[in-house]
């Protein structure tokens, strides 16, 4: 069977798929966003380690640098993601791009609340675990990771 | 239906192309929904466990109301994140499905004509 006649016999739906292949439901992956989010998660991990020390509870001032570093990474990620969300508005990928931006915002808000809790009332290992802040921020990082195809 | 071998897939009719597409789709979609479901279920369980433990600690006087307030607030953000993740998964899966179908069609074209289309 000659290939040319096979292609002509393809149904219209298959031909439509050929054209549709260039549509994307996901915005382009950004390595900077991914990296900054992973670094933020790392800093939060350091907070977790600090409050889980068996022999003493560190003062907030000792742990605060980790919060500051995490917020710095989150701000970078949020800024780049925001630019991307603006850029793809009106496209098919608009909503998924907005979701990633919203997820980064949730992470930042959660970390803000955790910092406030830590500063005013103190945070132990149970508090940190139950805040679910590490996982909240990890979800944002994983979303960005899944933009890779 | 088994996944197609993209190296050798050379359909002789539209029907065979459709079968190849469906086979590939079933594989990709099946795996993706399973992955999505496990992830979301694990997060929901974690949310429930944390909420409950916070409630317990509050009731037993182990933590103050202020602390419980802030913990519940963070758990609410986590729950919101879970729902965002659920919605995000639908786009990831749609994209994987589209990419899978595209891969099958371009494989068929490449194996028949030697041309690698890039669209």
């Amino acid at each position: 069977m000659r290939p040319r006649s096979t292609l002509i016999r393809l149904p219209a739906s298959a031909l439509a798929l050929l054209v549709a292949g260039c549509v994307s439901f996901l915005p382009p992956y950004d390595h900077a966003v991914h990296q900054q989010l992973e670094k933020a998660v790392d800093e939060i991990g350091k907070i977790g380690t600090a409050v889980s020390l068996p022999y003493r509870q560190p003062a907030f001032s000792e742990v605060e640098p980790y919060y500051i570093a995490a917020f710095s990474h989150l701000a970078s990620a949020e800024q780049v993601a925001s630019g991307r969300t603006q850029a793809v508005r009106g496209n098919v990928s608009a909503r998924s791009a907005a979701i990633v931006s919203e997820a980064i915002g949730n992470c930042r808000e959660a970390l803000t609340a955790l910092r406030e809790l830590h500063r005013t009332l103190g945070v132990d290992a149970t508090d940190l675990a139950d805040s679910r802040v590490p996982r909240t921020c990890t979800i944002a990082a994983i979303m960005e990771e899944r933009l890779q195809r | 239906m088994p996944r197609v071998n993209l190296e050798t897939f050379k359909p002789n009719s539209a029907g065979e192309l459709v079968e190849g597409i469906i086979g590939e789709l079933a594989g990709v979609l099946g795996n993706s929904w399973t992955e999505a479901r496990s992830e979301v279920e694990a997060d929901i369980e974690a949310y429930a466990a944390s909420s409950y433990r916070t409630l317990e600690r509050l009731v037993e006087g182990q933590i103050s109301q202020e602390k419980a307030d802030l913990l519940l607030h963070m758990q609410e953000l986590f729950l919101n994140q879970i729902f965002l993740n659920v919605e995000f998964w639908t786009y990831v899966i749609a994209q994987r499905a589209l990419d899978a179908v595209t891969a099958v069609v371009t494989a068929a074209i490449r194996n028949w004509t030697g041309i690698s289309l890039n669209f």
Side-chain angles (χ1 to χ4, degrees):
Chain A
M1 188 172 294
R2 288 164 48 233
R4 193 182 300 166
S5 60
T6 306
L7 284 174
I8 288 171
R9 258 176 251 161
L10 281 175
S13 53
L15 286 172
L17 279 173
L18 287 175
V19 176
C22 50
V23 163
S24 180
F25 295 112
L26 301 176
Y29 166 77
D30 193 302
H31 182 66
V33 173
H34 189 197
Q35 210 174 33
Q36 290 301 316
L37 288 175
E38 292 206 315
K39 286 183 177 175
V41 170
D42 276 345
E43 295 295 330
I44 296 170
K46 292 176 188 171
I47 300 169
T49 305
V51 303
S52 302
L53 292 170
Y55 41 90
R56 71 182 189 92
Q57 272 294 307
F60 176 68
S61 55
E62 293 176 63
V63 182
E64 193 173 16
Y66 301 140
Y67 280 102
I68 292 172
F71 279 121
S72 166
H73 292 305
L74 285 180
S76 298
E78 199 161 12
Q79 188 179 35
V80 179
S82 163
R84 176 177 62 191
T85 302
Q86 293 304 309
V88 299
R89 248 198 321 197
N91 294 356
V92 180
S93 57
R95 177 56 187 157
S96 56
I99 288 173
V100 176
S101 282
E102 202 179 325
I104 298 173
N106 278 345
C107 164
R108 180 184 29 78
E109 280 185 48
L111 190 63
T112 302
L114 184 65
R115 183 184 183 205
E116 190 55 23
L117 175 64
H118 205 151
R119 187 182 67 82
T120 56
L121 298 170
V123 160
D124 64 18
T126 307
D127 296 329
L128 184 68
D130 287 345
S131 75
R132 294 291 160 193
V133 170
R135 180 61 188 167
T136 301
C137 293
T138 298
I139 288 176
I142 289 177
M143 281 182 182
E144 186 66 34
E145 188 181 7
R146 292 210 173 105
L147 292 179
Q148 293 180 91
R149 290 155 59 187
Chain B
M1 199 167 294
R3 303 280 288 269
V4 297
N5 181 346
L6 293 179
E7 303 282 307
T8 60
F9 183 62
K10 218 173 176 187
N12 285 309
S13 67
E16 279 186 29
L17 176 60
V18 167
E19 274 185 27
I21 289 173
I22 291 176
E24 192 70 8
L25 264 181
V28 165
L29 289 178
N31 292 343
S32 293
W33 283 122
T34 304
E35 193 184 346
R37 190 185 164 143
S38 321
E39 187 174 83
V40 173
E41 276 181 358
D43 282 333
I44 293 282
E45 281 171 24
Y47 166 78
S50 296
S51 287
Y52 191 74
R53 185 154 69 172
T54 299
L55 173 65
E56 271 186 330
R57 292 167 84 209
L58 177 63
V59 163
E60 285 168 28
Q62 290 170 24
I63 57 175
S64 65
Q65 194 168 332
E66 287 86 357
K67 179 172 277 198
D69 256 334
L70 280 164
L71 286 172
L72 257 44
H73 177 62
M74 288 182 275
Q75 286 156 12
E76 189 182 354
L77 287 165
F78 175 50
L79 188 63
N80 189 246
Q81 201 78 319
I82 295 172
F83 294 147
L84 283 178
N85 198 22
V86 169
E87 196 187 345
F88 191 72
W89 260 116
T90 63
Y91 290 103
V92 170
I93 291 174
Q95 191 61 54
R96 287 183 185 178
L98 190 58
D99 289 348
V101 173
T102 305
V104 170
V105 172
T106 52
I109 293 172
R110 186 175 53 248
N111 292 332
W112 265 115
T113 65
I115 299 169
S116 283
L117 290 181
N118 210 4
F119 51 86

